[in-house]
Amino acid sequence: MSTVVAELPQAPSESRPNYLTANYGLKSWLLTTDHKRIALLYLVSITFMFAVGGIAAVMMRIQLIQPQGAIVEPETYNKLFSIHGIVMVFFFLVPSIPATLGNFLIPMMIGARDVAFPKLNLLSWYLYITGSLVLLWAILSGGVDTGWTFYPPYSSTYSHTHVVAAGMAIFIAGFSSILTGLNFIVTIHKMRAPGMTWFRMPLFLWSMYATSIIFILGTPVVAITLFLMVLERLFHVGIFDPAVGGDPLLFQHLFWFYSHPAVYIMILPGMGVVSELITAFSKKRVFGYTAIAYSSMAIALLSFLVWGHHMFVTGQSVYTSLIFSVLSFAVAIPSAIKVFNWTATLYKGSISYEAPMLYALGFIGLFTMGGLTGLFLASLSTDVHLNGTYFIVAHFHYIMVGGAVMAFMGGIHYWWPKMTGRLYPDLWARLAAMIIFIGFNLTFFPQFVMGYLGMPRRYAVYPPEFQTLNVMSSAGASILGVGYVIPLIYLIWSFFYGPAAGPNPFGATGLEWKTPSPPPTENFEEIPVVTEEAYNYPGKKAVVGV
Amino acid sequence: MSEMAHPAPGHHAHRPELSHQFETVEQQREAGTLGMWLFLATEILFFGGMFTSYLIYRSLHPQAFVIGSHLLEVKFGATNTAVLICSSLTMAMAIYSAQTGKSKARIITFLVITMLFGLAFLGIKFYFEWYHDYLNLIVPGVAWKYQAGWGTHGPVVQMFMVFYFVMTGVHALHMIVGLGILTVLIVMTARGRFGPTYSAPLDISGLYWHFVDIIWIFLFPLLYLIGGRYTTGGH
Amino acid sequence: MVEHRLGEESPRHLVPASVYIATWAALLILTALTTGVAYIDLGVYNTVVALVIAGIKMMLVVLFFMHVKYITGMPRIVMIAALFWLAIMMAFMLADELTRGWTPFAHSWGSGVILPLLPHLLR
């Protein structure tokens, strides 16, 4: 009995089953080990969590229309920004591209039948779901108000909200990430098709590999950190309590040791997607393939050396702060290298402006702005002024939303025909991309200004002189919200009623485009043999990978 | 399951232990080994967070940590260290027996002895150490009484004991998981799954077991021998 | 076509049982050693000796029981990377904790370190 998807009308050219039609029924989906089905399971789940985090954001922006607060008490507002942060960071952005596009594409791009450990892959999804359910329970039972950063002693001693549940939810979801990263690293090392050398891999795979390194080495630390905080809370023993010789900054060090690399977990996959989109829609080899590949690895390493820049104003040693500041400037370099290379790829390319390309171009501009504003924060003296203000909020939203979410949207659109065998209406898609771009900038640019002028973050009320900027930001948020709803509608519509997509609707290079759309369960009838570089568009021959 | 792919036409002879996503058993074995090493890397960072915190507090409060360390009994820690080392040997011998084609009974014997060593470790820890700590009121948050001789170091002595219980507790949890894994391996061996051509689950479980041993190799000196035992009445 | 991914990276090796037994014996001896040394007053070197012995024991387990001596490739790199990352965490965190008080204010925790140096630094 088919309960999940309606009968899919088979495209006329399909005579054999694809991964969507190979089996019907709830069990075939909930017990699947096919990486493509798992990717779709993740897509549905993270979209739901995105909506949960989005609702919190909507309420926050409504609240901030009035200086005295429009709809909620400060105690509730504290819960809103906490839930927004926890959900968006741990349950949306961290898994978003890796668990959906990564899961779907990595085996296809390397010419394999599946990931190295398909059952572990399914376990990853179930761990994610378990963590999500625990968090949803915590939210519905009253929420958590510590901020997504869970600093003690408030989290361990003074908060009366569901800190333990939220902490455990993140702990469980963390293991989902760890197993996914493990799976990806082994897959990329051991399952590449004959002839697929490292430097013939699409750049998306380099990004996913670097991301997986961060998953493996960073996530366990946040796990033990939250565990210790929960122990302090449950047993009333002082691990981070100064009264018993503990150090609250120890928690912050351990927390940010993961959470800074985590932001690179959130952006690296997006960079990988953008590398694919830029080259596909310029019909041109990517400029500086090696530079982009190595810069991904450099980001994975450097990201672990800068966490103290979140602690410049906490009383951290000024000498250590100096070192972290210098390193934080350094970590901007590999990202800048990518931006230069993407731009150079565009130069003299045959550019077309389908929706995925619009998202990619938006990414380059908005990510650059977000990255540049990070330098103000890396500099010690300016950070003293800007820390704790909306400047920070704007900075990371430019990267997370203007960067990562736009890359996610671009990637979903680009590979949607491959995943579903359907084409979405590009006109609506371009319109939505423009609405998102406009709404995004209207929401977050005023936040740079108000932050610089002194408006603190995490405040439910504010001095009246900031009202104009706040209202602008809230207006922008409503436009942004509309922009996100439109793709939801036409993408779901296209899944059932869209015209059939051929194997390669965008004329792009890559092994995934050589399979039918949607692909068969085993991806390839015969494991392909790779003899060419990654982006062998006509034109100047590349230097590497040939 | 009909949604699992059949091997493509013209594929190699289908060995039962070969999963469909791999081309050869060697590829599968290497993938499994790499996977376990990556998992152990995560464990290094997981325990590492606790070790780092311990290191920091020890540097900041050396005398209190010495007092705390002297609350532990070296004889139990040392015995447990020896027990785990022996269990690593028997684990290695179990794998060796499989790789050299010895009988199922022999492999299972080594696995069972490994489990017995593991149970002995847990028995010493939970009964002779933890239970007696409970009776002596040095379990923070559960049964705790400050002792007069600690002076102003009292609160940090409690911090030491928190770390003791958390670190050995998380380690013990990993031991228990290891015992579960050993049970599964015994069942698989009994079913004749392992031999010279295929012993991957044994190999990678061995890696896990040895890693848990390594964690204890560091826990023992850091918790029990800190500041030496040459001062008042090391016992 | 050379398929390095297909199992030629680390060919099957058989470690002799004698190696395991020798490793086991060495580990037990080192355990006895570290326990015994703890009862001798070496001052600050007690900690150093204990950690060095623990490090040697770890290397014995890693090289012989876990076969790292007999294989090449990724496992070694993974282990070294994990230890390197752990070292990063410890080094930077300790750096903060230990130098936090090195401020040039009188009566601060580490003022004994910085204040005497100030005339030289400011010259």
Side-chain angles (χ1 to χ4, degrees):
Chain A
M1 180 179 78
S2 157
T3 56
V4 177
V5 290
E7 281 289 318
L8 291 172
Q10 303 246 26
S13 56
E14 290 297 320
S15 52
R16 27 178 317 167
N18 59 59
Y19 80 100
L20 291 169
T21 57
N23 224 330
Y24 287 107
L26 204 57
K27 246 179 80 169
S28 77
W29 280 89
L30 295 182
L31 293 178
T32 183
T33 54
D34 179 0
H35 65 101
K36 301 181 287 300
R37 286 194 169 200
I38 293 175
L40 290 191
L41 289 174
Y42 266 109
L43 183 60
V44 171
S45 338
I46 65 165
T47 305
F48 178 77
M49 293 307 274
F50 183 68
V52 170
I55 290 170
V58 164
M59 293 176 69
M60 288 163 65
R61 284 308 335 159
I62 295 176
Q63 164 79 357
L64 293 174
I65 289 176
Q66 290 180 7
Q68 295 311 306
I71 51 170
V72 294
E73 296 302 314
E75 288 75 19
T76 310
Y77 186 81
N78 294 348
K79 295 180 185 177
L80 288 175
F81 69 69
S82 304
I83 291 166
H84 174 72
I86 294 170
V87 169
M88 287 308 202
V89 168
F90 294 111
F91 292 89
F92 174 67
L93 280 168
V94 163
S96 61
I97 295 177
T100 58
L101 295 173
N103 258 324
F104 195 95
L105 293 168
I106 290 178
M108 303 202 66
M109 283 182 167
I110 60 173
R113 296 217 162 79
D114 208 309
V115 291
F117 308 116
K119 289 188 209 147
L120 214 61
N121 208 4
L122 184 66
L123 177 64
S124 282
W125 182 72
Y126 275 105
L127 287 171
Y128 172 80
I129 292 295
T130 307
S132 302
L133 289 173
V134 172
L135 185 70
L136 287 170
W137 175 85
I139 293 172
L140 293 171
S141 324
V144 62
D145 67 352
T146 58
W148 78 279
T149 45
F150 290 101
Y151 283 3
Y154 185 68
S155 60
S156 57
T157 311
Y158 299 103
S159 172
H160 295 296
T161 57
H162 295 275
V163 175
V164 173
M168 286 299 98
I170 298 169
F171 187 94
I172 296 168
F175 277 97
S176 168
S177 314
I178 287 173
L179 294 178
T180 298
L182 192 157
N183 229 331
F184 287 173
I185 292 180
V186 178
T187 305
I188 293 175
H189 268 282
K190 296 293 181 190
M191 297 176 71
R192 281 169 284 127
M196 170 75 77
T197 61
W198 280 88
F199 288 96
R200 283 185 185 162
M201 291 199 308
L203 286 166
F204 179 69
L205 294 175
W206 279 97
S207 292
M208 290 310 310
Y209 185 79
T211 308
S212 301
I213 293 177
I214 306 179
F215 272 137
I216 291 285
L217 295 171
T219 319
V221 179
V222 78
I224 191 63
T225 310
L226 292 172
F227 180 66
L228 290 175
M229 184 268 296
V230 161
L231 284 180
E232 180 169 313
R233 188 174 169 84
L234 288 177
F235 290 95
H236 307 292
V237 291
I239 302 177
F240 306 112
D241 183 359
V244 294
D247 183 12
L249 257 63
L250 180 66
F251 175 89
Q252 295 187 25
H253 275 298
L254 290 171
F255 178 82
W256 287 111
F257 183 85
Y258 163 74
S259 298
H260 185 81
V263 315
Y264 291 93
I265 287 178
M266 296 187 260
I267 198 62
L268 265 172
M271 291 169 160
V273 169
V274 168
S275 293
E276 299 295 321
L277 297 181
I278 293 291
T279 173
F281 291 96
S282 314
K283 291 292 179 290
K284 188 166 166 265
R285 284 184 179 77
V286 76
F287 183 94
Y289 174 101
T290 330
I292 297 186
Y294 282 137
S295 68
S296 302
M297 304 302 290
I299 289 176
L301 171 61
L302 287 173
S303 66
F304 279 93
L305 302 179
V306 300
W307 79 84
H309 65 227
H310 298 270
M311 297 165 61
F312 282 157
V313 296
T314 57
Q316 173 178 258
S317 159
V318 75
Y319 306 99
T320 327
S321 294
L322 281 170
I323 298 174
F324 279 125
S325 175
V326 169
L327 289 166
S328 300
F329 277 95
V331 78
I333 296 173
S335 301
I337 288 175
K338 288 183 194 274
V339 172
F340 295 144
N341 280 295
W342 291 323
T343 314
T345 306
L346 290 169
Y347 179 63
K348 288 199 177 165
S350 167
I351 298 177
S352 54
Y353 295 94
E354 282 95 327
M357 185 58 154
L358 294 181
Y359 284 113
L361 294 173
F363 177 102
I364 295 178
L366 298 175
F367 169 75
T368 303
M369 285 179 66
L372 288 174
T373 53
L375 296 173
F376 294 99
L377 304 170
S379 149
L380 275 172
S381 41
T382 48
D383 186 71
V384 170
H385 175 64
L386 296 169
N387 205 340
T389 69
Y390 262 85
F391 192 93
I392 305 240
V393 176
H395 157 72
F396 65 70
H397 280 94
Y398 260 77
I399 306 192
M400 292 298 119
V401 182
V405 177
M406 292 196 72
F408 176 70
M409 298 293 285
I412 290 291
H413 281 76
Y414 179 56
W415 282 292
W416 186 261
K418 178 58 56 186
M419 295 195 292
T420 61
R422 305 286 177 157
L423 295 172
Y424 53 83
D426 198 54
L427 197 60
W428 280 101
R430 297 190 203 197
L431 181 66
M434 297 304 300
I435 293 175
I436 288 176
F437 185 82
I438 293 168
F440 169 83
N441 280 296
L442 189 57
T443 309
F444 291 105
F445 195 84
Q447 293 186 4
F448 276 127
V449 180
M450 68 172 91
Y452 174 73
L453 292 174
M455 164 123 185
R457 61 185 289 203
R458 296 181 168 177
Y459 272 46
V461 300
Y462 55 85
E465 57 259 34
F466 295 115
Q467 182 170 25
T468 313
L469 290 166
N470 269 296
V471 170
M472 280 175 69
S473 181
S474 298
S478 61
I479 298 173
L480 187 59
V482 168
Y484 284 133
V485 168
I486 297 176
L488 199 62
I489 298 174
Y490 65 69
L491 287 176
I492 295 179
W493 175 89
S494 77
F495 189 79
F496 296 102
Y497 304 111
N504 195 352
F506 299 113
T509 61
L511 286 177
E512 75 269 27
W513 299 110
K514 295 186 171 28
T515 64
S517 303
T521 302
E522 68 271 14
N523 298 339
F524 302 97
E525 273 200 49
E526 296 268 333
I527 298 294
V529 175
V530 177
T531 53
E532 291 169 324
E533 49 168 317
Y535 306 106
N536 55 330
Y537 293 102
K540 247 175 55 173
K541 216 79 171 79
V543 180
V544 293
V546 180
Chain B
M1 285 199 289
S2 56
E3 64 115 353
M4 289 271 283
H6 296 290
H11 233 63
H12 47 80
H14 188 60
R15 291 178 59 174
E17 62 267 17
L18 181 64
S19 299
H20 77 287
Q21 68 270 21
F22 294 113
E23 300 293 299
T24 68
V25 176
E26 289 72 36
Q27 184 191 28
Q28 178 176 290
R29 180 180 58 83
E30 282 187 9
T33 306
L34 178 58
M36 176 50 78
W37 275 101
L38 286 166
F39 178 70
L40 295 181
T42 70
E43 295 277 50
I44 289 176
L45 271 305
F46 186 73
F47 279 97
M50 287 189 282
F51 276 106
T52 307
S53 307
Y54 176 87
L55 204 68
I56 287 172
Y57 284 145
R58 155 133 178 69
S59 309
L60 293 178
H61 307 287
Q63 292 143 318
F65 268 50
V66 169
I67 296 174
S69 175
H70 286 200
L71 292 174
L72 309 175
E73 299 203 40
V74 171
K75 61 179 187 253
F76 293 133
T79 307
N80 265 345
T81 312
V83 163
L84 275 192
I85 290 170
C86 293
S87 77
S88 270
L89 175 66
T90 52
M91 185 76 201
M93 290 310 299
I95 298 170
Y96 179 82
S97 304
Q99 288 177 340
T100 48
K102 301 290 191 293
S103 68
K104 287 192 302 190
R106 180 128 159 196
I107 304 173
I108 291 178
T109 306
F110 277 122
L111 290 175
V112 168
I113 298 177
T114 309
M115 282 189 75
L116 289 175
F117 278 128
L119 286 166
F121 177 93
L122 291 174
I124 294 174
K125 173 144 299 297
F126 290 146
Y127 180 72
F128 289 105
E129 295 195 278
W130 283 25
Y131 177 60
H132 282 89
D133 292 337
Y134 174 78
L135 294 177
N136 292 329
L137 299 177
I138 49 172
V139 183
V142 174
W144 181 264
K145 186 168 179 298
Y146 285 102
Q147 296 180 14
W150 299 341
T152 52
H153 295 299
V156 185
V157 173
Q158 184 189 71
M159 176 88 78
F160 172 88
M161 290 308 291
V162 169
F163 273 91
Y164 167 73
F165 281 106
V166 172
M167 292 175 86
T168 59
V170 172
H171 176 263
L173 202 66
H174 283 77
M175 287 282 310
I176 294 171
V177 168
L179 292 177
I181 293 173
L182 282 168
T183 311
V184 170
L185 290 176
I186 290 173
V187 169
M188 287 171 82
T189 313
R191 289 189 186 158
R193 295 279 305 270
F194 301 129
T197 51
Y198 179 68
S199 61
L202 281 171
D203 301 336
I204 67 178
S205 303
L207 290 175
Y208 175 81
W209 190 263
H210 295 309
F211 176 79
V212 177
D213 187 10
I214 290 176
I215 294 291
W216 183 260
I217 282 174
F218 279 97
L219 284 180
F220 170 56
L222 285 176
L223 292 172
Y224 291 80
L225 304 180
I226 274 306
R229 287 294 183 139
Y230 48 86
T231 51
T232 52
H235 55 291
Chain C
M1 243 162 315
V2 174
E3 305 310 336
H4 77 276
R5 63 179 172 94
L6 282 183
E8 290 162 29
E9 186 184 75
S10 51
R12 293 303 299 271
H13 51 270
L14 187 65
V15 178
S18 55
V19 169
Y20 292 141
I21 296 181
T23 310
W24 166 80
L27 287 168
L28 287 180
I29 292 171
L30 287 168
T31 305
L33 186 65
T34 196
T35 311
V37 166
Y39 289 92
I40 303 170
D41 184 353
L42 299 173
V44 68
Y45 290 103
N46 275 104
T47 311
V48 174
V49 167
L51 287 174
V52 165
I53 293 179
I56 296 173
K57 288 163 80 177
M58 175 185 82
M59 290 314 297
L60 286 173
V61 175
V62 164
L63 288 172
F64 298 107
F65 280 146
M66 296 173 85
H67 296 184
V68 167
K69 185 160 163 50
Y70 302 95
I71 58 175
T72 56
M74 278 307 293
R76 215 177 263 228
I77 297 175
V78 168
M79 179 189 67
I80 293 172
L83 290 174
F84 176 69
W85 255 253
L86 181 60
I88 291 174
M89 178 163 65
M90 288 184 169
F92 279 73
M93 286 175 66
L94 266 175
D96 171 45
E97 299 281 348
L98 296 180
T99 67
R100 208 178 284 169
W102 288 8
T103 47
F105 305 121
H107 314 302
S108 75
W109 191 80
S111 55
V113 176
I114 282 294
L115 279 178
L117 287 175
L118 264 183
H120 304 281
L121 293 171
L122 293 174
R123 196 156 338 169

